[in-house]
Amino acid sequence: QVQLVESGGGLVQAGGSLRLSCVASGTFFRINSMGWYRQAPGKQRELVADITSGGNTNYVDSVKGRFTISRDNLKNTLYLQMNNLEPEDTAVYYCYAKVRRQRFGPDNDYWGQGTQVTVSS
């Protein structure tokens, strides 16, 4: 099995910063793409940013220039540096990973339990 554990959420004032981390553990051959989604109350879950195993990144327009996604493949860890936070960023943030458990097997999606980010105005 594969587990993803997030940390780093919390309460911050508008304009502040937080850094989220997500550690993947378990038995697997390779982690392919990883990313962060978020879900605000009453809204659908949306992709915030993702990153390929080679380091190519993609961001939703609303966070471009403020958030930076990165990963440490040796540590199986994903990060999201969030700067200049806005109240609209308030949501539960979820880590996901597309994991190949066996060399010639399929890729499967795994999710973390979520971490709350609250930005006060």
Side-chain angles (χ1 to χ4, degrees), residues 46-75:
E46 68 168 351
L47 175 66
V48 177
D50 59 17
I51 183 170
T52 66
S53 58
N56 293 320
T57 59
N58 173 58
Y59 298 90
V60 67
D61 286 345
S62 61
V63 308
K64 286 180 180 178
R66 301 188 298 121
F67 291 10
T68 302
I69 190 171
S70 62
R71 62 191 286 177
D72 184 332
N73 291 331
L74 294 179
K75 295 182 179 179

Side-chain angles (χ1 to χ4, degrees), residues 20 25 31 39 42 45 50 60 73 75 79 103 114:
L20 304 183
S25 62
I31 301 176
Q39 187 165 19
R45 190 175 296 192
D50 59 17
V60 67
N73 291 331
K75 295 182 179 179
Y79 305 99
R103 182 174 182 178

Side-chain angles (χ1 to χ4, degrees), residues 9-117:
L11 173 64
V12 65
Q13 289 187 331
S17 298
L18 285 174
R19 189 192 196 204
L20 304 183
S21 299
C22 172
V23 180
S25 62
T27 304
F28 48 84
F29 173 71
R30 182 176 64 207
I31 301 176
N32 290 320
S33 59
M34 302 183 79
W36 294 95
Y37 278 73
R38 66 185 178 187
Q39 187 165 19
K43 295 187 177 181
Q44 289 188 332
R45 190 175 296 192
E46 68 168 351
L47 175 66
V48 177
D50 59 17
I51 183 170
T52 66
S53 58
N56 293 320
T57 59
N58 173 58
Y59 298 90
V60 67
D61 286 345
S62 61
V63 308
K64 286 180 180 178
R66 301 188 298 121
F67 291 10
T68 302
I69 190 171
S70 62
R71 62 191 286 177
D72 184 332
N73 291 331
L74 294 179
K75 295 182 179 179
N76 296 321
T77 302
L78 177 71
Y79 305 99
L80 185 67
Q81 178 66 44
M82 304 185 293
N83 298 329
N84 195 20
L85 282 159
E86 303 170 353
E88 293 73 23
D89 296 317
T90 295
V92 178
Y93 284 70
Y94 297 91
C95 166
Y96 91 91
K98 196 171 289 290
V99 179
R100 180 166 299 180
R101 296 195 64 193
Q102 297 179 340
R103 182 174 182 178
F104 299 109
D107 292 347
N108 295 111
D109 291 341
Y110 293 88
W111 292 86
Q113 80 287 352
T115 185
Q116 176 70 46
V117 171

